[in-house]
């Protein structure tokens, strides 16, 4: 019913601006499979007007994502650090680039990226927009260490890619703009929304007592109070995509957001990661310092470190935290695990 | 319900684009923030430089609040103001007639509008209240640090919601602590700018002197604290410049 009116309105809008004849090749629009929980609870995902999803674009983006052709010596692809079976992380505290150089940040999982409404990517928000983010790893000397000029030429000399770009964008000129557009299209299709907890919210399953009590710890302002930053049953992203200092350090070897904004009040702030798919994404935090969820929970319970920029939501900082009981910790962990979506990591659409 | 709204929007689209406009005045409502006489900007965030009535030095780190039922509009019922990120601090309204308006709004949502999970834009920015406290939405999240009696800077979370007595978790008792703010009558002319001021100091001052050493965090489930916030909130807003 609603769709009808929307459709009608669109129709009228179209009539209004009677289109100029568009001669260019038109690829097939791609229909994003949005989980009902997302469409029921959240505003629509962000798809830039100048890069609509198309079947041809997404397929091309996927091929590029898995293709080592993007790296200087053709040994690494995006997927080397963003492995689909690990929810697109690499399970190392720091990732190794093509020359064996170690980075200083934990590779981030990739899912529900189109719902990052502020479009600030990376742990410190330094990349604005997915298209622009994709520019970075290719030229980064400690990641793929290549150069865009070479890649453009290599792809133009490759008959298969030439066809694919023609089909996706109607262009035989291949450059970083089109390459990153295609990759971003693929990344926007990486949607994770079918964990046990999603099924519970949809009324399809029940939680164990532990999971239910753990969810209560998560939502209780006097206990975990995690929901102010990490989402809830009404925000199925399980992150606010904002930047906070959650009390990891007294002094910062990595300034995080502060290095990007130049504002010392932002020192030690990093983007809240989604707590979906934690079963696959260890180790945790921007520097991978915690190997297990127990360590994460102990951090929030009694390991908080004070600094000027620590978030005011961190309570009883002088005692290290709110001191959850062993039972509360076990429950919290059981709840966190219920947010892992094995269908996502097994989805054949996202594998090479 | 959804259908009706969609249909209405559709109608409005049709009419707004086709019918002649006789009375179509636009105004901008600006929300400004103050500490007693001083106007605040983002430059004032994160510094322990304000002194509450009770004598604690505090900083403002994050401030978001919701108003609803603004008497100038009847199409969208609510509006979220985010001071620290500087979004929603100015609200454009069009389609008004030149006239004297009685300017009122509600701080937060009345119970009637405070339905859990139904506002997608508010869910998307994590403004909800846990189901264990009755669900619905925050009225305000005001976070910062205060210097305690031991000269130590600690966090406070002045979060206003519908007051809930959760002594018996299976039988929650509520009190609607949203409140109407009446700013009197205003002459609306085309392109008028209307300033609505929030004096943050009032949250800690009037009629109840707020002691941050006692009331700092975990205020959402604190039935008494919510009622004090309501009482103090009533003098927080005032009409600023209209031009």
């Amino acid at each position: 019913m609603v769709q009808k009116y929307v459709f009608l309105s669109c129709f009228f809008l179209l009539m209004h601006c009677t289109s100029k004849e568009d001669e260019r090749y038109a690829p097939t629009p791609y229909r994003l499979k949005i989980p009902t929980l997302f469409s029921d609870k959240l505003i629509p995902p962000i798809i830039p007007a100048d890069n609509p999803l198309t079947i041809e674009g997404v397929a091309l983006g996927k091929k590029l994502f898995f293709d080592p052709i993007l790296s200087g010596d053709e040994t690494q692809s995006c997927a080397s650090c963003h492995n689909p079976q690990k929810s697109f992380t690499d399970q190392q505290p720091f990732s190794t680039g093509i020359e064996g150089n170690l980075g200083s940040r934990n590779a981030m999982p990739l899912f529900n990226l189109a719902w990052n409404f502020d479009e600030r990517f990376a742990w410190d928000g330094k990349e604005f927009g997915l298209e622009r983010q994709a520019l970075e790893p290719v030229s980064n000397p400690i990641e793929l260490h290549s150069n865009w000029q070479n890649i453009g030429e290599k792809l133009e000399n490759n008959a298969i890619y030439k066809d694919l770009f023609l089909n996706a964008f109607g262009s035989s000129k291949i450059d970083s703009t089109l390459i990153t557009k295609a990759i971003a299209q693929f990344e926007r299709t990486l949607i994770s929304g079918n964990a046990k907890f999603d099924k519970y919210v949809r009324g399809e399953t029940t939680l164990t007592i532990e999971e239910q009590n753990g969810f209560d710890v998560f939502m209780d302002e006097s206990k975990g109070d995690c929901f102010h930053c990490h989402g809830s049953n009404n925000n199925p992203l399980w992150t606010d995509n904002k930047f906070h200092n959650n009390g990891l350090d007294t002094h910062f070897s990595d300034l995080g957001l502060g290095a990007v904004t130049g504002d010392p009040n932002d020192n030690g702030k990093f983007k809240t990661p989604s707590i979906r798919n934690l079963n696959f994404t260890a180790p945790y935090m921007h520097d991978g310092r915690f190997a297990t969820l127990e360590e994460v929970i102990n951090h929030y319970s009694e390991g908080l470190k004070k600094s000027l920029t620590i978030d005011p939501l961190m309570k009883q900082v002088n005692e290290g935290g709110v001191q959850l009981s062993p039972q509360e910790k076990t429950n919290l962990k059981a709840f966190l695990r219920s947010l892992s979506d094995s269908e996502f990591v097994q989805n054949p659409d996202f594998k090479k | 319900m959804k259908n009706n709204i969609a249909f209405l929007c559709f109608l409005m689209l049709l009419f707004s684009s086709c019918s002649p406009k006789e009375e179509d005045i636009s105004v901008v409502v600006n929300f400004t923030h103050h500490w007693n006489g001083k106007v605040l900007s983002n430059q004032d965030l994160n510094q322990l430089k304000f002194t509450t009535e009770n004598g604690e030095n505090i900083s403002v780190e994050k401030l978001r609040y919701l108003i609803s039922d603004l008497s100038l509009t009847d199409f969208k019922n609510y509006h979220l103001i985010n001071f620290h990120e500087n979004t929603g601090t100015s609200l454009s309204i069009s389609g008004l007639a030149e006239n004297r308006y009685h300017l009122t709004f509600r701080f937060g949502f009345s119970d009637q509008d405070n339905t859990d999970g139904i506002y997608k834009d508010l869910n998307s920015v994590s403004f909800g209240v846990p189901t264990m406290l009755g669900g619905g939405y925050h009225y305000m999240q005001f976070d910062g640090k205060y210097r305690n009696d031991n000269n130590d800077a600690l966090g406070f979370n002045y979060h206003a919601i519908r007051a809930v007595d959760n002594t018996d978790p299976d039988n929650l008792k509520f009190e609607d602590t949203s409140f109407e703010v009446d700013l009197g009558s205003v002459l609306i002319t085309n392109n008028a700018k209307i300033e609505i001021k929030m004096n943050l100091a009032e949250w800690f001052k009037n009629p109840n002197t707020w002691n941050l050493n006692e009331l700092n965090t975990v205020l959402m489930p604190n039935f008494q604290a919510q009622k004090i916030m309501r009482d103090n909130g009533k003098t927080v807003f005032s009409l600023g410049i209209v031009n």
Side-chain angles (χ1 to χ4, degrees), chain A residues 9-62:
Chain A
S9 318
C10 291
F11 184 63
F12 278 101
L13 270 175
L14 276 175
M15 302 258 294
H16 257 291
C17 29
T18 38
S19 60
K20 262 201 319 199
E21 210 55 74
D22 200 351
E23 297 284 320
R24 284 192 318 164
Y25 171 81
T28 332
Y30 179 101
R31 243 175 177 281
L32 209 53
K33 296 180 202 80
I34 301 180
T36 49
L37 264 188
F38 288 27
S39 46
D40 286 352
K41 303 280 188 188
L42 300 171
I43 57 177
I46 306 224
I47 314 283
D50 65 353
N51 192 21
L53 300 192
T54 64
I55 291 179
E56 294 81 355
V58 170
L60 170 59
K62 177 177 173 184

Side-chain angles (χ1 to χ4, degrees), chain A residues 1-2 5 9 12 39-43 117 216 219-222 227-228 233-235 242 244 265 306 308-313 315 318, chain B residues 3 7 10 46 61-62 85 116-117 120-121 123-124 126 130-132 138 141 144-145 152-157 159 217-221:
Chain A
M1 209 38 186
V2 175
Y5 290 121
S9 318
F12 278 101
S39 46
D40 286 352
K41 303 280 188 188
L42 300 171
I43 57 177
F117 303 112
D216 289 347
M219 296 300 289
D220 187 337
E221 205 190 17
S222 68
F227 74 95
H228 276 116
N233 50 318
N234 282 328
N235 182 337
K242 301 280 179 198
H244 306 273
N265 292 310
K306 197 167 167 181
L308 282 177
T309 59
I310 190 169
D311 199 282
L313 287 164
K315 285 175 273 296
N318 285 339
Chain B
N3 294 352
F7 184 59
F10 178 53
N46 305 307
E61 293 193 18
K62 295 181 265 184
E85 291 185 339
D116 191 52
K120 294 182 189 183
D121 51 347
N123 298 337
S124 298
S126 294
T131 319
M132 60 172 66
H138 282 79
Q141 294 177 338
K145 303 224 170 73
D152 208 0
L154 297 172
F156 70 82
N157 312 127
H159 288 202
T217 53
V218 198
L219 303 177
M220 293 174 73

Side-chain angles (χ1 to χ4, degrees), chain A residues 146-323:
Chain A
S146 186
N147 90 49
W148 280 109
Q149 179 92 33
N150 291 351
I151 292 175
E153 283 163 14
K154 264 199 278 185
L155 294 177
E156 276 181 10
N157 293 327
N158 177 318
I160 298 172
Y161 270 116
K162 227 175 150 68
D163 261 7
L164 291 174
F165 273 93
L166 204 58
N167 290 342
F169 299 108
S171 164
S172 49
K173 173 98 195 86
I174 301 176
D175 60 9
S176 61
T177 309
L178 293 187
I179 297 171
T180 53
K181 274 188 173 178
I183 293 177
Q185 285 189 35
F186 170 62
E187 289 178 310
R188 292 195 175 95
T189 68
L190 306 177
I191 297 173
S192 172
N194 206 16
K196 179 179 181 187
F197 198 86
D198 298 303
K199 294 177 187 152
Y200 160 71
V201 178
R202 297 197 304 258
E204 294 162 16
T205 189
T206 49
L207 297 182
T208 64
I209 308 268
E210 278 195 337
E211 289 164 344
Q212 179 61 57
N213 290 341
F215 180 51
D216 289 347
V217 171
F218 185 89
M219 296 300 289
D220 187 337
E221 205 190 17
S222 68
K223 300 284 182 186
D225 190 12
C226 318
F227 74 95
H228 276 116
C229 301
H230 280 291
S232 72
N233 50 318
N234 282 328
N235 182 337
L237 302 174
W238 300 98
T239 170
D240 60 359
N241 280 313
K242 301 280 179 198
F243 300 85
H244 306 273
N245 170 354
N246 65 343
L248 293 173
D249 295 300
T250 6
H251 298 289
F252 313 114
S253 52
D254 183 342
L255 295 182
L257 181 67
V260 176
T261 61
D263 180 351
N265 292 310
D266 291 334
N267 286 353
K269 293 187 183 174
F270 293 88
K271 191 168 73 180
T272 314
S274 173
I275 46 163
R276 275 185 186 277
N277 299 332
L278 295 171
N279 283 1
F280 319 110
T281 63
Y284 306 107
M285 304 297 166
H286 69 273
D287 53 5
R289 70 175 64 191
F290 297 136
T292 63
L293 286 179
E294 283 82 355
E295 288 175 52
V296 172
I297 292 171
N298 288 341
H299 161 72
Y300 283 112
S301 170
E302 61 254 349
L304 297 178
K305 303 217 175 68
K306 197 167 167 181
S307 62
L308 282 177
T309 59
I310 190 169
D311 199 282
L313 287 164
M314 297 291 125
K315 285 175 273 296
Q316 300 184 30
V317 179
N318 285 339
E319 295 86 62
V322 293
Q323 326 282 326

Side-chain angles (χ1 to χ4, degrees), chain B residues 124-179:
Chain B
S124 298
V125 295
S126 294
F127 210 58
V129 168
T131 319
M132 60 172 66
L133 296 178
Y137 294 88
H138 282 79
Y139 304 161
M140 178 171 76
Q141 294 177 338
F142 177 8
D143 296 311
K145 303 224 170 73
Y146 71 101
R147 214 183 275 292
N148 70 3
D149 290 343
N150 300 327
N151 210 22
D152 208 0
L154 297 172
F156 70 82
N157 312 127
Y158 198 115
H159 288 202
I161 63 170
R162 156 177 50 190
V164 50
D165 179 348
N166 65 347
T167 328
D168 174 7
D170 294 325
N171 183 21
L172 300 176
K173 296 199 182 70
F174 300 107
E175 186 170 326
D176 186 344
T177 38
S178 68
F179 55 86

